[in-house]
Amino acid sequence: MKVEDIKNIAVIGSGTMGHGIAQIAATAGYNVTMVDVNNEILARAIEKIKWSLEKLAEKRRIKPEDVSLILSRIKTTTRLEDAAESADVAIEAIPEKIELKKELFARLDQLASKHAILATNTSSLSITEISRSTSRPDKIVGMHFFNPPQLMSLCEVIKGQFTSDETLSITAELAKKMGKTVIICKKDVRGFIVNRVLGAVFNEVFWTVYRKESTIEEVDASVKYKAGFPMGIFELADYVGLDVLANVAKVMYEAYGERMKPCPLATSLLNEGKLGQKTSQGFYDWSIGRPRIKFTLAGKYDINRVYTVAVNEAAWLIHEDVADPVDIDTGMKLGAGWPSGPCELGDRLGLDVVLGKLRDMYSKYGEEMYRPCPLLEDYVGKGRLGKKTGQGFYIYK
Ligand code: CAA
Ligand code: NAD
């Protein structure tokens, strides 16, 4: 199959991510069939798509007359077979549970035609393990969009152990046709590229608040107004979904152990079903719209702590040959809206400065999450300190 042969796309799951993926696929001209477990959920998803398209039309990002045209390309069904049988590509966006995904992929494999590529939007799970539940592991691939898919211009494409080069390149081409910049995750590691860095950052701020060293509002005001992140980190946690984050945190802990030790800060919210924006309550009250984060609290949390753990995680990704600095930086800028990527930041701050801060944090807390990556130690040992010495993650002429 060539990317030009793709006409029909099945999107399984119509929640936070599924409806957005269906929308961008239809906007790119594909016929989309969106699947969910009941018609009420599907009706809500269509409403959200309609709202989003109208918003984009209002901003002249699409033509007003295209709103109904794009909507007409999206069908909905509760019967997987209705979507799978005609699909050239299926994109799965159901909850982050490996058993659910394996069961779905086994069914998709039986229903879809032999040429179809089956992609997963998983945040963290093993593409290879999912592919083992099918008879076409070469056609199983990670296609990781970012929330909201309508506005975030990144797609991470992930190669599982058995994914063929052809599947990888068709998937990357498809993501580009859907308007995305693609970064390739070279290894099927848990959390891939962007969620590895975000995971380290979430852990740092969650534990900081859990230890009562800062408040949620102080962290969010500082990262938003001092670091220029588009959202506070707790605001982002609510936006992503505390259930999604908890599932991802579990996967990361299983893979990386104490280095990614999850924090119990959100446990009581989760138990009360307060999952963030989608349930109107989480760390913030979303029933009155986006949280208003007080500017006066900016600076009460040291944003260098976030930079430090982000740079360290970027170093781990390079050390493990998962990604290179350019892809990591592109990932964080386009996938999470950061003004600079962690490798650029590290080089600007000075890798010796970052390493010094990590060492201080590691000796203060004794937590593995602050243990410096050997690559960082190596760079600093060799005098690769960043911009000031002409070489750090990058070379400066
Ligand atoms: N479709 C169309 N328009 C939308 C929209 C959507 N889905 N969502 C928001 N908008 C509109 C808003 O209504 C608003 O329009 P108005 O100006 O008319 O009110 C406009 O976009 C801008 O929105 P906001 O004013 O609310 O806020 P903003 O300027 O901060 O932009 C944002 C919103 C693009 C989401 C930005 O806050 C951002 O980049 N946030 C970070 C998101 C992020 O990090 N995503 C990755 C999460 S991790 C992940 O996805 C991976 C995983 O596996 C968990
Ligand atoms: P969500 O809970 O908002 O939506 C999941 C949807 O799947 C629900 O509507 C649910 O009814 C439906 N569903 C469950 N089982 C199904 C089945 N067997 N068949 C069809 N539909 C089924 O979840 P989400 O946040 O959209 O996450 C979906 C996937 O995308 C997860 O793997 C998540 O890790 C990943 N992801 C999430 C985000 C995010 O910010 N929320 C970002 C990127 C990737």
Side-chain angles (χ1 to χ4, degrees):
M1 183 169 69
K2 297 196 194 66
V3 73
E4 293 76 22
D5 300 327
I6 300 171
K7 304 280 182 260
N8 300 323
I9 296 184
V11 176
I12 331 296
S14 70
T16 307
M17 293 305 289
H19 86 272
I21 297 169
Q23 179 181 330
I24 55 172
T27 303
Y30 296 104
N31 302 314
V32 178
T33 308
M34 193 166 61
V35 188
D36 211 303
V37 292
N38 69 49
N39 283 317
E40 291 72 48
I41 298 175
L42 286 164
R44 273 204 302 277
I46 291 289
E47 274 312 304
K48 283 192 242 164
I49 294 174
K50 191 161 173 284
W51 173 86
S52 171
L53 288 171
E54 281 167 358
K55 198 47 122 174
L56 295 173
E58 195 183 298
K59 307 225 152 126
R60 301 277 165 216
R61 290 181 62 176
I62 57 170
K63 293 191 197 124
E65 59 269 31
D66 285 350
V67 171
S68 54
L69 180 67
I70 294 167
L71 277 170
S72 74
R73 295 194 190 112
I74 306 175
K75 294 194 177 59
T76 61
T77 181
T78 54
R79 288 162 41 91
L80 186 64
E81 49 273 41
D82 291 349
E85 280 165 5
S86 60
D88 301 306
V89 173
I91 306 174
E92 166 275 315
I94 68 167
E96 188 75 346
K97 297 257 167 74
I98 190 72
E99 290 315 321
L100 286 183
K101 304 230 188 229
K102 282 165 75 175
E103 195 188 312
L104 178 72
F105 273 75
R107 284 185 67 206
L108 275 175
D109 183 39
Q110 304 231 303
L111 294 166
S113 64
K114 285 285 161 248
H115 73 275
I117 289 176
L118 310 180
T120 170
N121 182 53
T122 177
S123 301
S124 61
L125 295 167
S126 165
I127 311 301
T128 307
E129 192 177 345
I130 293 171
S131 77
R132 286 205 169 97
S133 64
T134 74
S135 63
R136 61 179 95 192
D138 58 314
K139 292 196 167 62
I140 311 300
V141 65
M143 197 177 191
H144 187 209
F145 294 94
F146 290 80
N147 186 14
Q150 297 95 331
L151 302 183
M152 308 312 286
S153 60
L154 184 77
C155 182
E156 276 180 335
V157 174
I158 304 118
K159 186 174 163 39
Q161 195 184 327
F162 310 112
T163 312
S164 68
D165 289 344
E166 185 188 85
T167 299
L168 198 72
S169 81
I170 295 173
T171 307
E173 286 309 310
L174 174 64
K176 286 181 197 161
K177 285 192 177 287
M178 288 164 73
K180 302 303 167 197
T181 296
V182 171
I183 57 174
I184 303 282
C185 188
K186 291 190 270 180
K187 289 192 180 163
D188 185 12
V189 296
R190 310 290 49 79
F192 317 123
I193 301 171
V194 172
N195 283 343
R196 282 276 295 270
V197 177
L198 279 180
V201 166
F202 276 121
N203 273 352
E204 148 56 19
V205 300
F206 273 45
W207 280 108
T208 295
V209 170
Y210 189 74
R211 293 184 208 110
K212 299 196 184 335
E213 292 174 323
S214 293
T215 66
I216 287 170
E217 292 77 13
E218 285 168 355
V219 169
D220 276 6
S222 303
V223 298
K224 200 167 150 72
Y225 303 118
K226 291 275 175 195
F229 289 7
M231 286 180 166
I233 308 285
F234 290 94
E235 181 187 11
L236 182 62
D238 273 355
Y239 190 69
V240 165
L242 300 184
D243 53 337
V244 174
L245 277 193
N247 288 335
V248 172
K250 191 164 168 277
V251 173
M252 302 287 261
Y253 187 44
E254 280 163 14
Y256 304 108
E258 291 301 295
R259 207 165 72 66
M260 287 276 180
K261 186 167 84 176
C263 175
L265 187 70
T267 308
S268 57
L269 290 172
L270 279 163
N271 291 341
E272 292 166 45
K274 295 179 175 168
L275 308 181
Q277 189 198 29
K278 63 185 161 189
T279 61
S280 289
Q281 301 288 333
F283 289 113
Y284 292 99
D285 177 4
W286 290 74
S287 63
I288 43 170
R290 253 185 93 169
R292 285 164 197 265
I293 296 166
K294 286 197 196 97
F295 183 75
T296 48
L297 297 175
K300 295 207 179 265
Y301 165 78
D302 174 12
I303 54 165
N304 284 314
R305 294 176 65 103
V306 160
Y307 293 156
T308 298
V309 295
V311 174
N312 199 36
E313 200 56 39
W316 280 109
L317 285 167
I318 298 163
H319 186 60
E320 293 164 10
D321 196 27
V322 175
D324 58 27
V326 175
D327 281 352
I328 297 169
D329 286 347
T330 302
M332 296 315 294
K333 288 189 283 189
L334 301 187
W338 286 16
S340 301
C343 300
E344 294 166 334
L345 279 168
D347 278 2
R348 272 209 307 271
L349 291 167
L351 298 184
D352 52 335
V353 176
V354 172
L355 181 62
K357 189 153 183 86
L358 268 175
R359 284 180 176 149
D360 289 349
M361 287 160 93
Y362 187 53
S363 73
K364 178 171 177 190
Y365 302 109
E367 295 285 354
E368 284 305 297
M369 60 193 274
Y370 302 118
R371 183 193 285 278
C373 169
L375 183 96
L376 212 49
E377 309 252 19
D378 180 51
Y379 281 5
V380 172
K382 288 179 176 145
R384 278 176 74 162
L385 308 184
K387 266 194 156 166
K388 61 190 169 191
T389 59
Q391 193 176 9
F393 288 112
Y394 295 101
I395 296 171
Y396 301 86
K397 296 247 160 70

